[in-house]
Amino acid sequence: VIDYGCGSAILAMVAAVLGADKVYAVDIDPQAIAAASANIERNQLADKIEIAHVDDMKLPVADILVANILMNPLKELSSTFSDLVKPEGHLVLSGLLHVQAEECQTHYASSFAMAEPVFSAEWCRLEGIKTT
């Protein structure tokens, strides 16, 4: 599993607790990386989760990639995410306002079979399976 833009590493930790063999958590913010590292240590998950600045980690091709970040970065990262997800692997995107769902989903449709968005209040989650 890759948690791209991991912030506090909550998604990475959930993935590890739910059974992921290895989780790679990356962010661009040094403060987020420091907080995530502390959270991972505090929860005794350092044996399952590697964390680093995105520029300092060679990411593998993953079965699952999760990203809870804003729409513009999600759009900019679409080709990167496509390269990082195995064929038939899963992509889960959040951090999107419900009014951004269609635009973001359309942006990923060339590489992922996108499911219907899931809405909660003003937020949405997008999911897709890698097709190409």
Side-chain angles (χ1 to χ4, degrees):
V1 174
I2 296 171
D3 181 359
Y4 204 103
C6 67
S8 67
I10 187 68
L11 297 177
M13 291 186 294
V14 167
V17 168
L18 290 177
D21 292 330
K22 190 69 176 178
V23 182
Y24 300 87
V26 294
D27 207 298
I28 60 170
D29 181 353
Q31 290 179 324
I33 294 167
S37 294
N39 289 335
I40 291 164
E41 288 294 327
R42 187 176 306 113
N43 286 281
Q44 301 174 349
L45 294 169
D47 60 324
K48 287 191 153 196
I49 303 172
E50 281 189 44
I51 182 156
H53 188 283
V54 69
D55 293 336
D56 296 335
M57 183 183 290
K58 172 94 169 89
L59 292 169
V61 176
D63 297 309
I64 300 169
L65 185 145
V66 297
N68 182 25
I69 53 182
L70 300 173
M71 185 177 74
N72 285 336
L74 285 175
K75 286 172 52 180
E76 292 169 10
L77 289 163
S78 64
S79 64
T80 299
F81 288 178
S82 180
D83 292 343
L84 289 172
V85 177
K86 292 178 181 178
E88 299 184 23
H90 295 264
L91 174 75
V92 181
L93 307 175
S94 57
L96 296 160
L97 296 171
H98 72 280
V99 297
Q100 298 171 324
E102 184 177 344
E103 180 180 349
C104 194
Q105 191 169 31
T106 299
H107 205 77
Y108 278 83
S110 63
S111 297
F112 294 89
M114 300 300 291
E116 288 297 315
V118 176
F119 298 100
S120 178
E122 71 269 13
W123 300 100
C124 78
R125 179 186 75 234
L126 301 178
E127 300 176 42
I129 296 176
K130 175 81 177 283
T131 57
T132 58

